[in-house]
Amino acid sequence: MRAEVLAVLLASEDMTGMESIFEHRKTGLNTVIRALMRKYGWPIERRDFPTNTFDGRAAWASVYCLPQEVIDAALDTGGRDWLDGMKAARDTRARRATHR
């Protein structure tokens, strides 16, 4: 899951705790983000925003992203090849899932 989250962030996409890769997992996005920051040193930024829950209550949600200069540096030092490999692996898994 760490690699999936990092791939999303390196693709210059924001990620919230409601992302689909966490639908049926016990580990939440916060746990993965914390590991990427503490264990691997990624400077992931967090922004909180108000949102509504499915039952109409107000709540706070978080969105995570990497600064663009970090993304650019990572992609220029081999990250682009890694990201392409991640996308290819994801496509392969998706094809296998549809053929079952």
Side-chain angles (χ1 to χ4, degrees):
M1 281 197 301
R2 292 175 189 169
E4 289 289 334
V5 170
L6 187 56
V8 169
L9 295 173
L10 286 173
S12 296
E13 297 175 23
D14 294 340
M15 187 163 218
T16 68
M18 299 171 272
E19 298 298 325
S20 62
I21 67 170
F22 292 94
E23 278 182 22
H24 304 290
R25 310 278 172 107
K26 292 183 180 183
T27 303
L29 179 58
N30 290 339
T31 304
V32 175
I33 293 292
R34 195 172 21 248
L36 289 172
M37 293 174 72
R38 291 181 182 169
K39 192 171 185 177
Y40 302 102
W42 287 99
I44 299 169
E45 297 176 349
R46 171 184 160 178
R47 284 178 253 131
D48 296 324
F49 61 95
T51 187
N52 294 320
T53 62
F54 68 93
D55 61 1
R57 293 179 293 135
W60 285 92
S62 298
V63 64
Y64 300 92
C65 63
L66 283 169
Q68 190 59 49
E69 60 272 6
V70 171
I71 294 169
D72 294 341
L75 294 179
D76 290 343
T77 56
R80 197 171 317 280
D81 292 335
W82 179 82
L83 195 55
D84 290 343
M86 285 295 299
K87 288 178 184 176
R90 189 181 307 133
D91 291 345
T92 299
R93 283 192 305 273
R95 279 195 302 275
R96 286 183 187 154
T98 59
H99 288 100
R100 288 185 186 174

